[in-house]
Amino acid sequence: MNLRHFIGPLGILTAIGFIFALLNFFVKLINKNYILKLPKDKNHFVTYYKKIMKFIVKNHKTAGIITFILMLLHFFIAYNSHRIKITGIIAAIIMAAVVILGIYGKSIKRPRGKWLTIHRSCLLYTSDAADEGLGV
């Protein structure tokens, strides 16, 4: 069985997982800047939004771990098939840094700090490297 046919689907699944993990930041930002400021007559919408936000926040760590595993599989198959791209290597290195920072953040007692800013910033660089690899 030729595993190179899995490169594309694994890349797509990695991108989907990456986007889901990235939603954690955006749903919290939207909640802070807009949802909490809505009037009481929008309470039904607020309740629905908070359910969605709770699901995304609760599964952020799991999505990050699964995405990292998918990225590793994608990388190793691409490497063994001699289909490596430099932008993919850059995205993989940055994504690994994001995972390491996430593990570090979970292990320390202070949930906020410079590590969180770097953790969030790396995601922007990862998406930029992925865009370059896709030719976007």
Side-chain angles (χ1 to χ4, degrees):
M1 179 176 196
N2 197 345
L3 293 177
R4 69 183 174 100
H5 298 295
F6 290 108
I7 294 173
L10 283 172
I12 291 169
L13 289 172
T14 301
I16 291 169
F18 175 78
I19 290 167
F20 182 83
L22 189 61
L23 282 176
N24 183 56
F25 171 73
F26 289 109
V27 295
K28 288 179 180 178
L29 183 69
I30 291 168
N31 185 57
K32 179 181 173 185
N33 292 330
Y34 300 105
I35 302 298
L36 293 176
K37 297 176 183 177
L38 288 175
K40 293 286 184 193
D41 64 330
K42 304 287 186 191
N43 198 25
H44 180 68
F45 176 74
V46 171
T47 304
Y48 183 69
Y49 185 84
K50 291 209 180 224
K51 285 181 183 179
I52 294 171
M53 185 175 90
K54 185 177 180 180
F55 175 78
I56 292 171
V57 171
K58 178 182 169 187
N59 292 299
H60 173 73
K61 184 170 89 170
T62 306
I65 292 167
I66 291 171
T67 301
F68 185 69
I69 292 168
L70 289 170
M71 184 266 308
L72 288 175
L73 288 171
H74 176 78
F75 178 79
F76 287 124
I77 293 171
Y79 180 78
N80 289 330
S81 300
H82 305 291
R83 296 182 67 186
I84 285 289
K85 293 184 179 182
I86 190 68
T87 52
I89 293 171
I90 293 168
I93 290 169
I94 296 170
M95 197 177 288
V98 169
V99 170
I100 291 167
L101 284 167
I103 292 168
Y104 170 75
K106 196 70 176 165
S107 67
I108 62 172
K109 294 190 183 345
R110 292 183 319 152
R112 300 213 183 268
K114 290 182 181 180
W115 75 268
L116 186 60
T117 304
I118 297 168
H119 178 72
R120 291 174 176 166
S121 300
C122 282
L123 291 174
L124 298 174
Y125 292 119
T126 305
S127 62
D128 189 41
D131 285 348
E132 291 297 322
L134 295 173
V136 176

